[in-house]
Amino acid sequence: MVNDQRPAPRPNGFGSAAEPYTAAGPRPDARHDPAPSPEAPVEFSFVSPQGVTHRVRATFGPDRPRLVRPPALARPVRFEDGWQGFQVRLPREAGADREAYALLQAEITAALALHRAYAGTRFGGLFPTPVGYDVNTLTPFVLYAVPRGRPLSGPAERVSLAEQRAVERDLVLAVRLMEAVGLVHRGIVPGAVRRDAQGVQVWDLGSVVRAGCPRVPYGIPPYASPEQRAGVGTTEARDALWSVAQLMYHLVTGRPGSPDGPPADLAAQRSVAETLGPVFARQAADRPTPDALLRTLVPEIAAEAAGALLPDPMERHRREFDEIRRRKRASFAPPPPPAHTPYVPAPEPPGLPNGRGADGPPGYGEAPPFTGYEYPVRERGRLRTWISGGRTSGTNEPGGSRPEGDTRR
């Protein structure tokens, strides 16, 4: 049996994290693209989050439209041993779309980072459970465990205050946990959030970027923050909090909010205004941080989440490496030029003209006498001539070369 070396998840109120797939005797082999037929079992392989290659036979269901962000497609998958999952892939016709390929790579990177940080904790169910991936095929894909619940983009339904607080808590907690590993979700929209009786699960990890990277125009109003849609500044977790506030307003009222600030009737929606009112600020600097907001909403969960955010054991070594690299780059910098000292000619000794003293040897006040053996100063080598585009002789003589038969060095 192949052990994925992951602790068993504990029961929790945030939704249980699905178990990853394990198979007996995986056979590393060349990977093949699964056939598009939804009926017949096909053989394909994938790489698990632990780096183990699995080769299985599986049956794929039909594509489900509007389940993932286009041009990606999503379909259910069932392995021969009975395990069921969910595949997100790029179709072959989207293979030349570099932006779509980059989004899928970002999704795989974010899914693995969150899985390695929170798998086995009570917070693992807030995010999809990656089972495998493969980007070296004609149809690159990522394989997940079966998603929980249904998207919030479904038919509008009345939610109780307790349900509203549970969804609110889970979304703010998800933003805080992603911030702890340096990630920001730019696509928290109703279709990317699934909900069931146990809580929410945040999908569309292809919209996740590293915190601190320059913003680019991304997202749709009103769920994307104003600065995110404008593409100004750098990405931070308070961008995702804006999306959470807009999604909660949509969940409570059944209609979208204002794309540029607080909704006009926010005061009338007391259940949203009391907890998320400051998050509707137009500027990110005026919104609370995810940690401060979580401590206001559920202090006990904020403290528990802080305990789950274990320090990175390699952080000290990374800082040392960055410092060594900084010093090395500084040593490559050219030294500053010396301060300029103006030239002051030495005074001529008293005596006869041209510096000839009365009792000393003859001197030359201006220039030595011409002997006939002088020649112009040579430039130093051909490299300087080639760079400057001059003559190739390496001399200053007219014509670019010395007279024939001249053997002077």
Side-chain angles (χ1 to χ4, degrees):
M1 292 292 292
V2 175
N3 188 354
D4 70 336
Q5 301 178 357
R6 198 198 75 171
R10 301 190 300 272
N12 62 85
F14 304 99
S16 58
E19 291 293 338
Y21 175 76
T22 58
R27 296 171 293 170
D29 203 343
R31 283 166 268 179
H32 303 281
D33 296 327
S37 173
E39 295 86 8
V42 296
E43 191 173 84
F44 83 112
S45 62
F46 58 89
V47 180
S48 71
Q50 292 74 34
V52 179
T53 301
H54 295 265
R55 188 178 178 90
V56 298
R57 292 185 62 82
T59 302
F60 293 91
D63 291 324
R64 296 183 179 179
R66 299 183 303 181
L67 201 56
V68 293
R69 184 184 296 269
L73 300 175
R75 59 182 178 179
V77 56
R78 184 184 182 90
F79 290 172
E80 205 169 37
D81 59 4
W83 184 88
Q84 298 183 47
F86 193 73
Q87 185 194 47
V88 177
R89 78 187 195 283
L90 287 180
R92 295 194 180 189
E93 53 269 22
D97 190 337
R98 294 187 177 182
E99 182 178 357
Y101 187 80
L103 289 177
L104 182 65
Q105 284 188 314
E107 177 168 358
I108 295 173
T109 302
L112 294 179
L114 293 171
H115 178 73
R116 290 164 182 165
Y118 303 116
T121 71
R122 64 176 304 198
F123 306 117
L126 289 170
F127 309 104
T129 301
V131 172
Y133 62 93
D134 194 347
V135 295
N136 298 319
T137 68
L138 296 178
T139 57
F141 65 88
V142 56
L143 198 63
Y144 292 110
V146 175
R148 299 196 341 260
R150 58 180 179 177
L152 293 181
S153 59
E157 58 184 36
R158 191 174 185 86
V159 295
S160 65
L161 183 61
E163 292 174 330
Q164 177 186 339
R165 291 290 179 254
V167 174
E168 185 179 73
R169 173 205 65 189
D170 288 0
L171 289 176
V172 175
L173 177 60
V175 172
R176 174 69 182 100
L177 294 174
M178 296 181 77
E179 179 193 34
V181 293
L183 300 177
V184 177
H185 201 307
R186 303 176 299 168
I188 298 180
V189 297
V193 178
R194 305 179 68 91
R195 182 172 71 96
D196 63 3
Q198 295 180 323
V200 304
Q201 196 173 50
V202 181
W203 284 73
D204 189 21
L205 299 184
S207 298
V208 174
V209 296
R210 297 291 302 180
C213 67
R215 291 190 183 102
V216 295
Y218 190 90
I220 59 175
Y223 303 105
S225 64
E227 61 269 21
Q228 183 65 65
R229 300 196 312 270
V232 295
T234 56
T235 304
E236 59 171 291
R238 287 178 286 189
D239 298 347
L241 282 187
W242 167 280
S243 304
V244 170
Q246 293 289 344
L247 190 142
M248 292 306 303
Y249 179 85
H250 170 80
L251 180 65
V252 171
T253 64
R255 58 181 182 272
S258 171
D260 299 318
D265 63 340
L266 180 61
Q269 309 300 330
R270 295 182 56 185
S271 62
V272 179
E274 289 176 355
T275 55
L276 301 178
V279 184
F280 288 96
R282 178 176 176 83
Q283 301 294 331
D286 298 330
R287 303 173 202 143
T289 63
D291 182 58
L293 182 59
L294 189 62
R295 292 182 184 278
T296 301
L297 298 178
V298 277
E300 64 282 1
I301 298 298
E304 187 176 356
L309 306 178
L310 300 178
D312 185 356
M314 300 299 293
E315 181 64 23
R316 179 175 63 87
H317 303 288
R318 291 191 180 96
R319 292 181 180 178
E320 293 178 356
F321 175 79
D322 292 340
E323 177 62 21
I324 293 174
R325 184 172 58 178
R326 186 193 64 78
R327 293 199 302 265
K328 183 176 181 180
R329 289 179 176 176
S331 67
F332 291 156
H340 175 68
T341 303
Y343 171 74
V344 179
E348 295 183 358
L352 300 178
N354 295 330
R356 181 176 300 180
D359 300 327
Y364 306 99
E366 295 183 2
F370 182 74
T371 62
Y373 290 96
E374 288 73 17
Y375 55 89
V377 179
R378 297 176 59 184
E379 296 183 13
R380 298 180 60 183
R382 297 178 181 268
L383 180 60
R384 179 182 299 178
T385 305
W386 173 72
I387 293 177
S388 61
R391 297 181 299 276
T392 59
S393 64
T395 73
N396 291 327
E397 297 175 353
S401 62
R402 292 192 295 270
E404 183 177 358
D406 191 347
T407 60
R408 291 176 297 180
R409 300 293 181 185

